[in-house]
Amino acid sequence: MSIKMTNFIIFTGSANPSLAEAVTKQLDVRLGNRILQRFPDGELHIEIEESVRGQDVYLIQPISPPVDEHLMELLLLADACRRAGATQLTAIVPYLGYARQDRRARGREPVSARLVADLIKTSGIQRLVAVDLHTTALEGIFTVPLEHLSAVSILSEAVRPWIEDNTLVVSPDLGAIKLAERYARLLQLPVAIAYKTRISGEEVHTKGIIGDVHDRAVLIVDDMISTGGTVKAAIEALLEAGCLPNILVVATHGLFVGTAVERFRALPIRRLIVTNSVDRPGNLPFPIQEISLGPLLAEVIKRLHNNHSLKDLIIHG
Ligand code: R5P
């Protein structure tokens, strides 16, 4: 397929420049120049340093910790591009912060995901590309078209060499069942489910395992690892239920915030695999295999820019 790659430009904020560079390298283009600095009072100052008039603009920026700063960078980059005459504005947001706050879990809370969706629309972004969101239902919250990509097939290929005859896929909570089914389909494995309740932002409790994990190796899959509480509780419950100490963990987004570093240092994990959707310190004190989203995101930009179908790359249902 011959690809025409003219009249488009890619900018990035400060959230994950190495991923943005990986994408531009794949596409054989350079990142657009912009100024991104803070005024003495802490306000963000953005300036686009080249013409975007009449161009398709792609903004690569995960809303990763510190989420408010990275969200604001994305919004101001978009506003600057819109006012400078960009024709089509697409945000490539590999990790979408605030996505887990898609409803009021208790009374008198905001629906933060909805407000973020509205801010994204107001900033001038006309289309959003995200990867393995917490729930596919988020599409209903966004008023701009959402292209919901999955990293499950590239992560399945990465973990395949570690799979054994007796491995089964474990969903660490009820919310990840569909994700676990996607891994199970690709890897031809059965599924078990951990029954999790969340106590606080950092603490979760797993009440038990649905399915027989006795003498089985396990592959725990999740959309994200934040503090590691979910994975830790799942591993404890799985070991108690008699699984073998042969544990693989795969997640699309590896944030490793709060107590995650101490937790993962202590957990008996044979292989831990995440993507580079968010930037992390390079010196985490436990082994971690990182799979780049660069080729996937570059392919998506190519297809969007040339109006080619994304059907085989996006999640349905
Ligand atoms: C929540 O339901 C998500 O799918 C993850 O399981 C969760 O956000 C992971 O967070 P943590 O690592 O802090 O338990």
Side-chain angles (χ1 to χ4, degrees), residues 2-313:
S2 84
I3 299 289
K4 184 164 63 72
M5 296 301 287
T6 51
N7 283 345
F8 86 105
I9 186 159
I10 300 175
F11 292 97
T12 191
S14 68
N16 196 342
S18 59
L19 175 58
E21 273 154 28
V23 173
T24 51
K25 198 167 165 211
Q26 286 275 328
L27 292 169
D28 198 21
V29 296
R30 61 170 183 82
L31 276 170
N33 293 317
R34 48 58 176 167
I35 292 169
L36 197 158
Q37 55 192 201
R38 298 244 161 220
F39 286 120
D41 61 1
E43 285 181 6
L44 190 59
H45 169 231
I46 298 254
E47 193 178 331
I48 301 297
E49 294 187 283
E50 46 197 293
S51 175
V52 293
R53 195 166 299 284
Q55 304 229 47
D56 284 356
V57 173
Y58 296 85
L59 303 173
I60 300 179
Q61 172 88 336
I63 303 176
S64 52
V67 286
D68 297 342
E69 283 179 24
H70 291 155
L71 171 63
M72 204 61 193
E73 284 180 13
L74 175 67
L75 298 174
L76 295 191
L77 277 167
D79 189 68
C81 291
R82 177 177 66 87
R83 289 173 193 280
T87 303
Q88 170 85 22
L89 206 44
T90 302
I92 312 270
V93 183
Y95 170 71
L96 185 78
Y98 284 109
R100 289 181 292 176
Q101 297 190 53
D102 58 342
R103 64 193 187 289
R104 295 198 296 169
R106 289 187 282 273
R108 296 195 291 276
E109 290 177 321
V111 181
S112 311
R114 175 59 206 231
L115 181 60
V116 168
D118 289 345
L119 291 170
I120 283 176
K121 163 117 175 133
T122 302
S123 72
I125 290 167
Q126 292 150 293
R127 181 170 56 190
L128 182 69
V129 175
V131 184
D132 287 330
L133 290 168
H134 176 56
T135 160
T136 51
L138 276 163
E139 180 156 18
I141 276 186
F142 281 89
T143 45
V144 299
L146 170 68
E147 311 289 3
H148 187 185
L149 308 177
S150 177
V152 169
S153 46
I154 51 179
L155 288 169
S156 293
E157 287 319 303
V159 78
R160 194 182 289 280
W162 300 87
I163 301 292
E164 293 175 15
D165 289 345
N166 64 348
T167 305
L168 52 72
V169 175
V170 176
S171 170
D173 56 29
L174 301 179
I177 293 176
K178 284 198 163 179
L179 181 78
E181 281 174 345
R182 291 208 292 277
Y183 278 99
R185 229 180 355 258
L186 287 170
L187 295 166
Q188 299 279 292
L189 298 173
V191 178
I193 301 157
Y195 185 38
K196 161 180 130 179
T197 46
R198 184 165 283 286
I199 297 158
S200 70
E202 292 239 341
E203 294 299 327
V204 304
H205 175 61
T206 298
K207 289 183 184 162
I209 303 293
I210 304 165
D212 185 7
V213 297
H214 194 259
D215 278 344
R216 306 289 297 249
V218 292
L219 164 61
I220 300 172
V221 297
D222 210 347
D223 58 321
M224 64 184 285
I225 294 167
S226 181
T227 66
T230 300
V231 168
K232 177 174 181 278
I235 289 177
E236 286 168 357
L238 285 163
L239 289 171
E240 202 175 313
C243 89
L244 298 173
N246 182 350
I247 298 168
L248 309 170
V249 176
V250 173
T252 304
H253 312 291
L255 274 62
F256 299 103
V257 296
T259 48
V261 172
E262 292 84 70
R263 279 174 169 160
F264 274 83
R265 202 163 24 188
L267 286 172
I269 296 173
R270 185 166 161 238
R271 193 80 182 171
L272 170 63
I273 307 177
V274 296
T275 75
N276 61 347
S277 63
V278 305
D279 210 8
R280 277 179 297 282
N283 54 352
L284 290 177
F286 47 86
I288 184 164
Q289 181 180 346
E290 188 178 274
I291 303 298
S292 179
L293 291 178
L296 173 67
L297 299 181
E299 177 66 20
V300 165
I301 291 175
K302 256 191 220 173
R303 293 200 203 176
L304 286 176
H305 191 60
N306 290 281
N307 291 320
H308 291 157
S309 172
L310 296 184
K311 190 163 187 286
D312 55 317
L313 302 178

